Structure formats: structure tokens, C-alpha cells
Amino acid sequence: MPRISVFLPTHEHASTLPYAVRSVQRQGVDDLEILICGDGATEEVRAVVAELMRADERIRFFDLPKAPARGELNRDY
């Protein structure tokens, strides 16, 4: 189990998601995982996440349907 888990929820943030992931990757800690939770993610977000996952095996993607409100139920999942 990784020492640190970083959770990034997203819905329509394809343009900023790579910046958030790079910020985590640059923290100087190798023993981590990056968990991206898609709350009704768009195809564009899915494509960006697929590219990020190809580049870093520590990234996991949870592609969940859009939850009510701001996706709180998906984040609890």
C-alpha cells in the first residue's frame, strides 16, 4: 500500500487535470498513488486520464456516472 494517496475529483476539467497531476508528481515523494474520481467525466477527461495513466502507473481512475449535486456520493465511494 502506498504511503500517500492523493484524491482528485473531476467532472469537466480536462484542461487543468494534467497540471494538478504534475503538481502531485513533483512533491518529491515516490511512494504515492493518485486517485482520479470522474463524476460523470466527459470523453475529453477520459482521454486525458488515459494519457496520464500511460505515463504513470501510480494513477488510478474511477469512471463513475454523474452523482447528484457536486458528486459527494462519488467521492465517498
Side-chain angles (χ1 to χ4, degrees):
M1 175 177 257
R3 188 174 83 168
I4 297 172
S5 297
V6 177
F7 183 76
L8 299 173
T10 187
H11 173 62
E12 295 179 341
H13 299 101
S15 63
T16 57
L17 192 55
Y19 297 106
V21 169
R22 277 196 297 274
S23 176
V24 173
Q25 292 167 326
R26 292 180 178 162
Q27 294 304 307
V29 178
D30 291 327
D31 189 15
L32 63 85
E33 65 182 346
I34 301 169
L35 308 172
I36 301 173
C37 179
D39 179 36
T42 63
E43 287 301 320
E44 185 179 11
V45 167
R46 288 184 187 102
V48 168
V49 170
E51 185 176 323
L52 292 167
M53 290 175 65
R54 277 192 293 276
D56 191 337
E57 63 183 26
R58 300 174 297 176
I59 298 172
R60 294 174 46 202
F61 181 51
F62 301 92
D63 191 4
L64 303 171
K66 180 70 181 111
R70 297 186 177 254
E72 295 86 358
L73 295 176
N74 283 344
R75 289 194 295 272
D76 285 342
Y77 169 81

